[in-house]
Amino acid sequence: MNENYPKHVAVIMDGNGRWAKTRGLPRIQGHKAGAESVRRLLRGARKFGIRWLTLYAFSIENWSRPEAEVSGLMRLLTTFLAQNRNVLDEEQIRLRISGRRSDLPPNVEAALAKTEAETAAYTGPQLIICLSYGGRTEIAQAARRIAEDVKNGILAPEQVDEAAIAARLYLPDVPDPDLIIRTSGEQRISNFLLWQCAYSEFVFLPEPWPEFTEDSLQRALDIFASRNRRFGGIVDSHGSSAQPAT
Ligand code: IPE
Ligand code: IPE
Ligand code: MG
């Protein structure tokens, strides 16, 4: 294990639909193959000492897709949860959800909440799945909570600073991602972790998500380890700065 490897890796798992299309398969088959990549990634995360793994699984904007694809994805999510539960137990992985969870179908939300509760005390890596997630929505809800706290006299306007906003994001104790990987050759953020990505390193991989392997992960980690992070200063700093936000 390389000490310059990131502690928090976030992944924009993109390219399932195009992968399926090139094989003449329906898009949902691409999502199914993508679930296998997540399994491989979980194994790799342990091997490379990743402490937080954040996966962009479904954006707020993804609700605009055809109903059949959306419901197929929601079904796949519950299957994935059931099929990978033993991995969470064996590796002591704690599951957490980030996003506007009230948008999720009640049975999906219930299954996720159950697994979250049952893995809450696990001390291994954290697996954070972003569902109905939008970075702007997350910041807007933090702003709304700040407004309520000011109105209720809990917070003074002059106390509204970066820490006050960070403390009201979905998972305030999780440090910012060191590395954000996006597959399928697209080079954009698509409303992912807008607040948290301020100083993240980005690695764009050409392969579509279903073709992501442990080797792809290692490639991205090695690129990260070879970079200098300066955080606006002049001193070179390798590797992870992961500190829980306060
Ligand atoms: C990523 O793959 C998975 C989700 C957004 C749910 P896509 O479904 O976006 O695949 P492409 O980009 O259309 O190939
Ligand atoms: C980003 O991928 C969202 C997820 C991977 C869940 P999209 O495929 O939705 O993003 P755009 O539409 O290409 O920007
Ligand atoms: Mg896409």
Side-chain angles (χ1 to χ4, degrees):
M1 205 161 71
N2 184 330
E3 63 176 33
N4 290 328
Y5 275 180
K7 293 281 174 278
H8 182 176
V9 176
V11 187
I12 304 175
M13 309 182 291
D14 198 15
N16 294 349
R18 279 164 284 162
W19 179 89
K21 193 171 180 205
T22 56
R23 280 160 185 75
L25 298 168
R27 289 178 61 87
I28 195 69
Q29 293 302 324
H31 298 312
K32 281 191 182 147
E36 292 303 311
S37 294
V38 176
R39 242 180 122 86
R40 288 194 290 275
L41 177 58
L42 282 181
R43 270 200 298 275
R46 177 169 175 268
K47 182 169 164 187
F48 297 121
I50 294 167
R51 297 293 305 163
W52 294 268
L53 181 63
T54 298
L55 304 181
Y56 202 8
F58 195 87
S59 72
I60 284 195
E61 291 77 17
N62 289 149
W63 291 111
S64 69
R65 294 187 180 195
E67 201 278 325
E69 181 171 348
V70 170
S71 57
L73 276 165
M74 293 297 144
R75 259 196 309 279
L76 192 57
L77 199 62
T78 39
T79 319
F80 173 83
L81 216 55
Q83 286 177 348
N84 288 277
R85 182 51 206 269
N86 63 330
V87 183
L88 302 188
D89 294 335
E90 282 158 26
E91 313 283 351
Q92 289 279 296
I93 297 171
R94 176 178 176 194
L95 177 77
R96 303 179 78 180
I97 303 305
S98 179
R100 205 165 63 188
R101 52 194 306 159
S102 59
D103 292 349
L104 299 171
N107 67 315
V108 174
E109 207 285 324
L112 291 165
K114 184 167 182 283
T115 311
E116 280 181 301
E118 288 170 357
T119 62
Y122 284 178
T123 53
Q126 294 191 12
L127 171 63
I128 297 155
I129 304 186
C130 296
L131 291 167
S132 198
Y133 177 87
R136 287 182 171 179
T137 298
E138 182 181 30
I139 295 168
Q141 69 82 38
R144 197 178 323 117
R145 287 174 60 194
I146 284 175
E148 283 162 5
D149 287 349
V150 170
K151 186 174 136 206
N152 295 329
I154 296 167
L155 197 71
E158 52 279 10
Q159 287 175 307
V160 178
D161 55 10
E162 291 184 15
I165 294 172
R168 288 164 180 80
L169 299 176
Y170 292 133
L171 302 175
D173 60 299
V174 174
D176 292 343
D178 302 297
L179 169 64
I180 297 179
I181 299 171
R182 184 166 187 153
T183 58
S184 87
E186 305 293 355
Q187 303 193 6
R188 56 178 169 266
I189 193 79
S190 300
N191 204 10
F192 189 43
L193 303 179
L194 296 183
W195 176 275
Q196 298 89 335
C197 77
Y199 270 101
S200 302
E201 295 291 328
F202 289 82
V203 170
F204 300 102
L205 297 175
E207 58 265 48
W209 180 247
E211 288 174 15
F212 185 92
T213 61
E214 197 174 292
D215 192 56
S216 315
L217 176 62
Q218 180 148 26
R219 210 161 5 109
L221 299 181
D222 285 337
I223 293 170
F224 174 89
S226 72
R227 290 190 185 163
N228 291 319
R229 301 178 81 189
R230 286 184 288 275
F231 301 98
I234 51 172
V235 178
D236 288 349
S237 149
H238 284 283
S240 163
S241 71
Q243 300 276 336
T246 45

